[in-house]
Amino acid sequence: MRKHCVRWPGVPLSERAKGPKGAPEASGANTVSVPEVIVHRDAQLLAKAVAARLVTRLVDAVAARGTASVVLTGGGIGTKVLAELAVAPARDAIDWRHLDIWWGDERFLPADDPERNETGARSGLLDHVDADPARVYAMPGSDGPDGDDPEAAATRYASWLAAATRPEDHGPVPAFDVLMLGIGPEGHVASLFPGMPALYDERPVVAVRGSPKPPPTRLTMTLPSIQAAREVWIIASGPDKANAIAMALSDAGPVQVPAAGARGRQRTLFLLDSAAAAKVPPQIGRQGAH
């Protein structure tokens, strides 16, 4: 299947590298990448294509270093991607035993709650592959070791990230091979919502209280952790995401549009269906989807 790929000239690198105004730069920010846009005809083809791309990326990472890491996302299209990966013929080309699996954010609910991203990921994919349970790092729930204390749970998750970090990662979190994100209609990614304090936070993982999207209490990686990834993939389908995608590819700052700060060190991909790509800014030269 042919794909259209374009690069965004965008903001100067020195400006893209900055976090929210007043916040320190992320580790590795001086190598933040320029986004590319890849469009598929519809949500089903998008999910299949992202699943295939993920197989290739993780196989290559394990071949190169003997290990790989991925950060999963929830939401409609994120869940579809995992379901497509579960049934993909090439699924078992991934050496699942040598893969670290993380989450970018989580609803602070009891384990096995159907609203948790972990629950959807396990039923859609992880229950069907030979992943090492010790390398599946689900964010703690409200019934976890820290009880109903999301700040302590965020600190615990940050400690797990730190323990998995190698010297070559040059920061407090691993240089994830792929970090996948959905995007909200107002431009939020993970549980980083416009204008909220978490956007100014330099800690790797924080608790979010008073989320505008229920449930109100969540855990989330911050922008510095997202920007530590080798590749960041923002995945979106549907016309309700078109405005957010356009804003994320504009000169908007990450306080107003958190997705504008979601950039990988080596590569940033906006993986879209044609409806989500309908308002991509004309300066990036988007052509018709295939």
Side-chain angles (χ1 to χ4, degrees):
M1 176 172 50
R2 293 187 297 139
K3 303 182 287 290
H4 175 60
C5 174
V6 293
R7 293 182 180 272
W8 171 55
V11 185
L13 182 60
S14 59
E15 293 300 315
R16 291 198 313 273
K18 295 177 182 177
K21 187 176 181 181
E25 290 188 2
S27 172
N30 61 338
T31 57
V32 123
S33 59
V34 176
E36 304 168 47
V37 175
I38 299 175
V39 182
H40 297 275
R41 186 172 63 246
D42 55 38
Q44 182 178 0
L45 289 175
L46 172 64
K48 288 180 181 294
V50 175
R53 180 180 293 274
L54 189 59
V55 169
T56 299
R57 184 70 186 88
L58 296 179
V59 167
D60 288 348
V62 173
R65 299 192 314 278
T67 186
S69 58
V70 63
V71 180
L72 304 182
T73 185
I77 191 63
T79 302
K80 287 179 182 177
V81 168
L82 298 185
E84 289 293 345
L85 180 54
V87 299
R91 178 195 77 183
D92 293 329
I94 298 171
D95 187 347
W96 293 95
R97 303 298 293 183
H98 289 86
L99 180 65
D100 288 329
I101 299 171
W102 305 90
W103 276 263
D105 77 316
E106 188 57 276
R107 296 160 174 84
F108 195 59
L109 298 168
D112 299 326
D113 188 289
E115 294 299 309
R116 280 177 57 89
N117 292 333
E118 176 201 0
T119 305
R122 289 191 182 278
S123 62
L125 173 65
L126 300 181
D127 289 347
H128 309 289
V129 296
D130 187 30
D132 181 351
R135 300 181 71 164
V136 177
Y137 298 94
M139 288 186 166
S142 58
D143 58 346
D146 302 297
D148 196 20
D149 184 346
E151 285 78 17
T155 299
R156 181 179 297 274
Y157 204 67
S159 74
W160 295 348
L161 288 163
T165 300
R166 301 181 177 193
E168 58 267 28
D169 295 328
H170 305 295
V173 302
F176 311 109
D177 290 291
V178 176
L179 187 149
M180 297 189 292
L181 295 167
I183 183 171
E186 78 303 315
H188 87 264
V189 290
S191 285
L192 298 170
F193 295 91
M196 294 198 72
L199 289 164
Y200 296 91
D201 210 308
E202 62 184 89
R203 292 174 294 173
V205 183
V206 297
V208 173
R209 295 180 182 268
S211 162
K213 181 179 179 181
T217 306
R218 296 159 173 255
L219 306 179
T220 188
M221 289 188 186
T222 57
L223 284 178
S225 295
I226 290 170
Q227 292 167 354
R230 292 181 173 90
E231 296 194 11
V232 169
W233 299 359
I234 294 178
I235 310 165
S237 68
D240 61 322
K241 303 299 176 68
N243 284 334
I245 294 296
M247 290 188 296
L249 289 168
S250 73
D251 292 346
V255 171
Q256 295 77 28
V257 185
R263 302 291 185 261
R265 290 184 182 182
Q266 297 176 1
R267 200 175 194 194
T268 303
L269 297 179
F270 279 70
L271 302 167
L272 314 173
D273 71 1
S274 56
K279 297 182 180 180
V280 166
Q283 64 265 29
I284 73 165
R286 190 187 75 83
Q287 299 177 7
H290 301 287

